Amino acid sequence: MSKIVIIGAGISGHTAAAHLRRKLNKEHEVVVVSPNRNYQWVPSNIWVGIGRMKAEELIFPLEPLYKRKGIGYKQAKVVSFHPEGNATETKPYVAVEYVFGADQGKTENVTYDYLINATGPKLAFDMTEGLNPGTNKAFSVCTYDHAQHAWHGLKDLIDQLKGSNKKAKVLIGTGHAKATCQGAAFEYILNVEKELVRHGVRNQVEVTWISNENDLGDFGMDGMLLDYNGLNMRSKDMIEMIFEDRGIKWILGAGVNKIEDGVAHYENLEGEFKSETYDFAMLIPAFSGHGFKGYDKNGADITDKLFKGFMIVDADYTPKPYEEWTVQDWPETYQNPSYKNIFAPGIAFAPPHSISKPRKSKNGTDIFPAPPRTGMPSGITARLVADNIIDSIKSGKESLHHKGSMGNMGAACIASAGFGMTQGSGVSITTYPIVPDYIKYPQTGGRDINKTFGDIGLAGHWVKLSLHYAFLWKAKMRPFWWLIPE
């Protein structure tokens, strides 16, 4: 009998738990440890943030589902990692603290044979002074409750504008010099702009994009050359066309470093310190590791064997110049090299380097996007980690046959650009590979132009809405859920 403990119940952790439970018989134990009581389909938070969808439509409680499916569940947070056990416990374990119910505050050592660290990121609002969702007129859509607050803030502004001559400014983008998840902010600004039109107040609002990207459409992936209606187009030009069509201004190369009530302060790549006023803002925070500590069986600190901010896996972390980075630096199995029974799929793994070209301001401040690992890559890497554990358990020996690097993996992203079955829109971009391979595809920006393409239109909205229902069906493990790909 084996016991697999999964930390986190987001896209990555929940996907791993579902596949492990389906493919392993009940003599093996699958346990999820998460401080969250609900699963949330994160991509639809955007629609909660504009009031077109209720949070209840994209969440469901984890405990009843896990109980029905035979998956253990502890609503708790991890305190520390002990991959060698300790003086009294011979098995590896994680120390956890319960965060809800009668057991709140109690601690427990949860032993395991295999550990999947799928915590996702810490939303590091504290890394930007004054950036706290719901304060200083600045909001977030990173979680469903944040998105609810954002909608209330946006609605208040719309209500103030209706029937008045008041002018207002909306600022949306990244709230830190090294923030990632530009895609979510991009979706939100397009949806907010469309809602302002729908409510008849668009001509009263200046809408501005602010980002740490050097070029529009970088998205933390160094931009891309893509096929658009039979033409080769840079993502920079495509996004510029979309923004110009909608009258959205943009500020690039901006590292936001302080938020005050209605004012965002930032440094740009020219080394200038500037500020931008706003009446409503949604700024994505920096993502960081959770600051976990690790200890060996004697209690010595071994955190550096496990973490490099995020968890260390089979990547090449050798420091080297940007010109020497290759796709081979990226991990394939997400296995920790020191402790072979620990894995970290999704955003929990430490990337070897950024994907976007690193840039510094004239003052030496790093201003560029961190690499994205959310969404499709999270689900794919979680499944391959689960499959390797399943094979290892069934064969009785380590098996790492399932591999998938972001350097040979594609991603399909559909950014909502407006809600509505007849009036909605979506920007669809498929990228292959996610990490550009400049050796294999030297003439097309490191990507296969036959598999990297974009489109804009109503069909994108329909697909995005269909995916909402399909992936909730999958997450709820309803009949034949496993036929839906990650």
Side-chain angles (χ1 to χ4, degrees):
M1 170 187 164
S2 293
K3 180 178 180 181
I4 306 100
V5 172
I6 302 159
I7 307 170
I11 290 176
S12 191
H14 190 72
T15 297
H19 284 290
L20 285 161
R21 187 67 286 162
R22 187 175 80 87
K23 293 181 179 178
L24 290 175
N25 62 42
K26 295 297 173 65
E27 70 173 341
H28 303 292
E29 192 176 357
V30 178
V31 178
V32 173
V33 176
S34 173
N36 301 316
R37 66 184 315 182
N38 291 319
Y39 177 87
Q40 61 172 325
W41 177 240
V42 176
S44 296
N45 283 342
I46 299 298
W47 292 330
V48 176
I50 57 168
R52 302 297 295 269
M53 189 172 275
K54 301 292 186 186
E56 293 74 19
E57 296 176 70
L58 54 99
I59 65 173
F60 61 84
L62 290 165
E63 188 167 16
L65 175 67
Y66 285 168
K67 188 174 183 180
R68 197 164 61 249
K69 295 295 181 179
I71 297 172
Y73 171 63
K74 297 176 186 294
Q75 192 176 349
K77 63 179 182 181
V78 170
V79 177
S80 54
F81 286 66
H82 303 262
E84 300 173 8
N86 63 16
T88 57
E89 175 57 70
T90 58
K91 294 197 70 172
Y93 69 89
V94 285
V96 307
E97 178 183 331
Y98 287 86
V99 298
F100 184 78
D103 291 331
Q104 185 173 2
K106 290 182 179 178
T107 59
E108 179 184 350
N109 295 337
V110 181
T111 60
Y112 61 82
D113 295 291
Y114 295 92
L115 179 69
I116 299 177
N117 173 20
T119 56
K122 173 187 174 186
L123 301 175
F125 292 101
D126 57 323
M127 290 175 67
T128 303
E129 183 180 347
L131 184 63
N132 187 28
T135 61
N136 293 324
K137 302 189 184 81
F139 298 88
S140 155
V141 292
C142 293
T143 67
Y144 63 88
D145 52 342
H146 288 173
Q148 286 178 311
H149 294 155
W151 164 236
H152 293 317
L154 181 63
K155 185 175 184 302
D156 285 346
L157 178 63
I158 292 171
D159 289 343
Q160 291 172 34
L161 293 172
K162 282 183 175 178
S164 77
N165 294 320
K166 182 181 176 181
K167 300 291 184 182
K169 297 173 76 173
V170 165
L171 184 68
I172 294 174
T174 53
H176 186 270
K178 296 191 72 175
T180 188
C181 227
Q182 283 75 13
F186 174 68
E187 283 193 272
Y188 195 58
I189 196 170
L190 297 184
N191 276 274
V192 167
E193 194 277 335
K194 188 142 188 172
E195 286 304 302
L196 293 173
V197 172
R198 191 170 73 91
H199 287 279
V201 296
R202 177 65 182 93
N203 61 347
Q204 295 168 253
V205 184
E206 180 180 297
V207 181
T208 302
W209 170 256
I210 187 167
S211 172
N212 51 10
E213 301 164 295
N214 188 61
D215 293 314
L216 283 175
D218 182 286
F219 294 136
M221 297 189 291
D222 214 20
M224 64 211 70
L225 182 70
L226 47 79
D227 180 274
Y228 177 69
N229 289 337
L231 301 173
N232 288 350
M233 175 183 276
R234 295 170 64 195
S235 55
K236 170 183 181 295
D237 299 323
M238 182 180 181
I239 305 306
E240 187 173 317
M241 177 182 70
I242 292 169
F243 278 6
E244 285 186 339
D245 184 54
R246 296 178 178 228
I248 297 173
K249 299 180 177 180
W250 58 85
I251 300 169
L252 299 175
V256 174
N257 50 42
K258 184 178 180 180
I259 299 295
E260 294 180 311
D261 187 23
V263 186
H265 299 276
Y266 66 94
E267 177 186 353
N268 64 20
L269 286 168
E270 293 300 313
E272 301 169 313
F273 292 93
K274 294 189 169 185
S275 60
E276 186 73 14
T277 60
Y278 61 83
D279 297 279
F280 171 89
M282 196 296 290
L283 299 171
I284 299 289
F287 290 174
S288 73
H290 289 267
F292 295 125
K293 288 286 189 179
Y295 300 94
D296 71 8
K297 60 184 176 184
N298 299 314
D301 191 324
I302 55 165
T303 303
D304 59 358
K305 282 187 169 182
L306 292 169
F307 299 102
K308 187 180 177 67
F310 294 95
M311 179 161 267
I312 295 169
V313 293
D314 59 318
D316 183 351
Y317 295 106
T318 307
K320 47 192 171 185
Y322 167 76
E323 292 73 19
E324 296 177 17
W325 291 354
T326 72
V327 294
Q328 285 72 38
D329 297 337
W330 286 76
E332 292 187 309
T333 65
Y334 309 90
Q335 181 188 49
N336 180 263
S338 300
Y339 299 97
K340 304 290 188 183
N341 58 346
I342 299 179
F343 298 83
I347 204 167
F349 80 82
H353 45 66
S354 69
I355 303 174
S356 297
K357 183 178 181 179
R359 291 179 170 86
K360 287 183 184 292
S361 75
K362 291 181 178 177
N363 305 312
T365 306
D366 289 329
I367 303 178
F368 59 92
R373 284 100 76 207
T374 53
M376 197 169 174
S378 287
I380 293 172
T381 55
R383 180 167 184 167
L384 75 85
V385 163
D387 283 339
N388 279 332
I389 292 174
I390 291 162
D391 288 351
S392 297
I393 290 172
K394 288 184 175 179
S395 67
K397 58 183 180 182
E398 182 183 80
S399 175
L400 296 173
H401 294 309
H402 301 276
K403 296 183 178 181
S405 161
M406 286 172 62
N408 54 35
M409 180 190 303
C413 304
I414 302 174
S416 171
F419 191 94
M421 291 303 290
T422 59
Q423 299 297 315
S425 183
V427 178
S428 310
I429 297 177
T430 297
T431 307
Y432 183 90
I434 300 169
V435 178
D437 187 336
Y438 295 105
I439 303 298
K440 196 170 183 179
Y441 308 108
Q443 305 302 320
T444 49
R447 306 275 177 18
D448 184 345
I449 196 67
N450 296 315
K451 299 178 182 176
T452 303
F453 48 90
D455 199 8
I456 307 169
L458 177 61
H461 174 72
W462 292 344
V463 174
K464 175 101 183 178
L465 196 60
S466 298
L467 292 177
H468 165 89
Y469 293 109
F471 278 95
L472 278 173
W473 180 280
K474 181 183 177 77
K476 292 178 180 177
M477 302 181 209
R478 287 178 168 163
F480 305 108
W481 63 265
W482 60 88
L483 297 177
I484 300 172
E486 314 308 334

